[in-house]
Amino acid sequence: MPKTRYKKGSDGYWKTRVWDGTYTGRNKHYITIRSKVSSKDLEEKVADFRRKIQERRSVRDSGITFIEYARDWAEIYKGQKQINTKAMYERIIEKQLTFLPASLRLQDVDRIHLQKLLNHTAGKPRTQQQIYMTFRQILLSAVADHLFPANVAEEIFRTVDRPRYTPGEKRPLLPHEKAALFAADFSVMDKAFIFILYGCGLRRGEALALTIFDIKDDQVTVSKAHAFDGEKPVQKAPKSVNGYRTVPIPQSVSSAISDCVREAKANGGTYLFHMRDGEPMTRSSYQKMWRRILREMNKASDQEITGLTAHILRHNYCTELCYQIPKISIKLIARLLGDTEKMVLEVYNHIVMEKEDSTGAINAAL
């Protein structure tokens, strides 16, 4: 007589626990299936349930469309993210995921839909990367909400290749840009802004949030930043806990920054970089300032200056500091940047390696 797969319990039922295709946190969620008839009957029930999982009938059918759930997900689960992060998710949902039919039900999503989105944005690797990341987070959230089968989500991301994206190589200032920086005829405020990026390595948002009280004894204290929510400036904390820091102001830019502080005090203002009414800069007022800066630099340059951004000056700051190793340590460079040692090593390791002299070090040591 063939051996039964399941044993009858003291309550008179044959029963077993079966994964229902969803997760609770990181753990698989199981349900109990029972039979009053026999072990074989229980086997058939288990097999039938597993077929339902494959056929997507094991999760709640909410009737919600994919795009409706995506919008709810962005509002509920990403609502507390940084402004730029929220904007990225919303942009991908509204400009990319809406390429799929509006009537597509969440439960009907399959690998073909993700692949269509990636095909539609061929040649745009950064956008493809963001689509894949957003699509994946949405489906995993639906799994956690018991609205989408985990096994199907796993299959989609196992069988659709993750897009590869390599950020463009960061660069420091070019020689003609650096020369123009010191030769240009800037206004007091414009000069202080670009000099504080150049001489202190601040992020754009950190610089825009500076007040007269943040500059003291040839040092700048970073404790806040401004981000743009549409046109409006919004104050926020620095990018990370490392962002809170005090940075020395080098002599080469000290007088320009001091002039800006004096001018702001004389006008009764608080913000170093502001509009005519003394209020912090909006997005459009910042863009106007940056265009003025580039225009004056081009007037002073013997070569055209193109593609210069605020972040290039921050990158230049770190590059120049790395060339001062071992006079300065990687740990201190990271502290001045308001970043981690890991980031400095990942981005600037090639400079550190250029300075290494293995033969000289061995001869000196031994």
Side-chain angles (χ1 to χ4, degrees):
M1 182 175 179
K3 186 177 180 180
T4 58
R5 182 170 183 181
Y6 303 106
K7 292 183 179 180
K8 189 175 183 179
S10 58
D11 59 357
Y13 284 89
W14 287 266
K15 56 188 175 183
T16 189
R17 286 167 57 77
V18 182
W19 180 41
D20 69 357
T22 65
Y23 287 89
T24 302
R26 294 185 177 182
N27 301 317
K28 289 183 176 181
H29 183 265
Y30 289 85
I31 66 166
T32 299
I33 299 179
R34 305 190 304 171
S35 172
K36 186 71 173 177
V37 181
S38 65
S39 173
K40 183 176 181 181
D41 181 61
L42 179 57
E43 285 186 47
E44 291 174 354
K45 285 186 175 183
V46 170
D48 182 59
F49 182 76
R50 285 174 174 158
R51 280 194 298 272
K52 288 180 180 180
I53 290 177
Q54 295 297 328
E55 295 168 7
R56 305 176 182 228
R57 296 204 302 266
S58 65
V59 293
R60 290 185 289 116
D61 186 356
S62 65
I64 193 170
T65 66
F66 174 65
I67 197 65
E68 286 172 341
Y69 182 82
R71 287 167 176 156
D72 286 346
W73 167 83
E75 180 180 353
I76 297 168
Y77 297 111
K78 299 299 178 182
Q80 299 303 312
K81 293 291 185 181
Q82 296 280 0
I83 292 171
N84 291 343
T85 303
K86 278 176 54 181
M88 183 276 291
Y89 285 122
E90 290 169 0
R91 183 177 67 252
I92 291 298
I93 290 170
E94 299 302 332
K95 293 191 175 182
Q96 304 300 336
L97 302 194
T98 51
F99 174 72
L100 297 174
S103 58
L104 175 65
R105 295 194 319 153
L106 174 63
Q107 288 185 303
D108 293 333
V109 170
D110 213 331
R111 62 196 295 263
I112 190 172
H113 300 110
L114 175 56
Q115 193 62 61
K116 280 184 176 180
L117 292 172
L118 297 177
N119 292 349
H120 180 62
T121 51
K124 300 177 180 178
R126 176 57 173 161
T127 301
Q128 288 181 320
Q129 182 197 49
Q130 292 174 336
I131 288 172
Y132 188 96
M133 176 182 66
T134 305
F135 197 97
R136 186 173 187 274
Q137 290 187 32
I138 290 169
L139 284 197
L140 292 183
S141 176
V143 168
D145 289 337
H146 297 262
L147 296 174
F148 197 82
N151 58 316
V152 178
E154 289 174 355
E155 182 181 12
I156 289 173
F157 298 109
R158 178 175 55 81
T159 57
V160 176
D161 293 335
R162 182 189 293 269
R164 295 184 178 276
Y165 167 71
T166 303
E169 185 178 351
K170 296 181 180 179
R171 70 170 180 87
L173 286 173
L174 300 174
H176 68 282
E177 291 172 337
K178 186 174 180 179
L181 181 70
F182 286 92
D185 184 20
F186 297 120
S187 68
V188 171
M189 186 173 69
D190 293 357
K191 187 174 187 178
F193 181 76
I194 196 163
F195 273 26
I196 212 160
L197 297 180
Y198 170 81
C200 301
L202 270 61
R203 298 176 176 91
R204 180 188 73 175
E206 294 170 342
L208 290 174
L210 290 176
T211 69
I212 57 176
F213 307 109
D214 297 319
I215 311 295
K216 186 178 180 180
D217 299 330
D218 279 336
Q219 291 184 318
V220 54
T221 298
V222 180
S223 60
K224 55 194 174 299
H226 280 179
F228 295 122
D229 186 2
E231 176 69 10
K232 182 182 176 183
V234 177
Q235 186 163 300
K236 64 186 187 72
K239 189 174 182 180
S240 70
V241 67
N242 296 320
Y244 294 91
R245 63 198 189 277
T246 298
V247 182
I249 299 173
Q251 294 178 358
S252 59
V253 301
S254 178
S255 60
I257 296 170
S258 296
D259 289 345
C260 187
V261 172
R262 280 194 294 271
E263 184 177 82
K265 287 180 178 179
N267 293 331
T270 299
Y271 287 101
L272 256 64
F273 312 113
H274 52 80
M275 299 185 295
R276 290 182 180 178
D277 59 2
E279 291 299 306
M281 288 190 166
T282 61
R283 183 189 295 273
S284 59
S285 60
Y286 166 74
Q287 290 171 340
K288 288 177 182 176
M289 178 177 70
W290 191 251
R291 285 196 294 269
R292 288 196 307 269
I293 288 171
L294 293 180
R295 183 170 61 247
E296 293 304 321
M297 287 182 68
N298 268 302
K299 286 181 182 178
S301 177
D302 57 358
Q303 297 180 50
E304 184 181 7
I305 296 172
T306 60
L308 181 63
T309 66
H311 196 74
I312 286 176
L313 282 106
R314 174 174 164 83
H315 180 71
N316 183 82
Y317 177 81
C318 188
T319 300
E320 296 296 343
L321 288 183
C322 284
Y323 278 119
Q324 297 301 313
I325 295 172
K327 187 182 296 184
I328 187 172
S329 68
I330 292 175
K331 183 176 183 178
L332 181 53
I333 292 173
R335 190 187 307 162
L336 292 172
L337 285 168
D339 225 312
T340 63
E341 293 176 60
K342 181 175 182 291
M343 184 286 301
V344 174
L345 284 171
E346 286 179 350
V347 179
Y348 302 96
N349 189 53
H350 64 288
I351 299 174
V352 177
M353 291 182 68
E354 281 179 23
K355 291 179 60 61
E356 289 181 347
D357 177 10
S358 58
T359 302
I362 291 170
N363 287 332
L366 302 178

